[in-house]
Amino acid sequence: QVQLVESGGGLVQAGGSLRLVCAASGRTFSMGWFRQAPGKEREFVAAVSWGGDSTYYVDSVKGRFTISRDNAKNTVYLQMNSLKPEDTAVYYCAAGRSGIVSRRMADFHSWGQGTQVTVSS
């Protein structure tokens, strides 16, 4: 099974940038990022296909976040720019069941432990 470890979270000021890193061990296909804010359900953020050529984003982060991967390093990234207080959440890396991008939680079988991102106003 795939094991995932996220890093890169922290406290940043609104308008700032942060890059999350997901280090994977084991075979990966499509990969995604989800987030969960206090009192809210886990939300899809972004996903990337196995080849890295297809991506999908939730509307609220389009133009600000970029998901990418380096298969040689078995690593997935989430570059977050122009951060807003509403981006505050625990961010989770997830491994999909196929190489095709998906935003459904049911299409992801392995999850990281999460990394906290806090954006101050």
Side-chain angles (χ1 to χ4, degrees):
Q1 62 177 347
V2 178
Q3 293 186 330
L4 308 171
V5 180
E6 304 100 329
S7 62
L11 174 63
V12 298
Q13 187 173 308
S17 298
L18 205 61
R19 187 179 73 158
L20 304 185
V21 180
C22 175
S25 61
R27 189 179 183 186
T28 60
F29 296 94
S30 62
M31 297 291 294
W33 288 94
F34 292 75
R35 66 186 180 187
Q36 187 166 20
K40 297 183 179 180
E41 295 184 343
R42 190 168 298 184
E43 172 192 31
F44 169 81
V45 177
V48 61
S49 63
W50 180 89
D53 56 334
S54 296
T55 58
Y56 190 87
Y57 300 90
V58 67
D59 288 344
S60 61
V61 308
K62 287 182 178 179
R64 300 189 297 120
F65 291 11
T66 302
I67 186 172
S68 62
R69 67 190 301 165
D70 184 341
N71 287 346
K73 297 182 179 296
N74 213 9
T75 302
V76 182
Y77 307 90
L78 184 66
Q79 179 66 47
M80 304 184 293
N81 298 325
S82 301
L83 283 164
K84 305 175 181 179
E86 48 263 48
D87 294 319
T88 295
V90 176
Y91 283 71
Y92 299 90
C93 179
R97 299 181 182 275
S98 73
I100 303 174
V101 294
S102 175
R103 61 181 179 179
R104 302 189 305 163
M105 291 184 62
D107 289 332
F108 296 85
H109 61 86
S110 297
W111 298 80
Q113 83 287 353
T115 185
Q116 177 71 49
V117 172
T118 302
V119 184
S120 62
S121 59

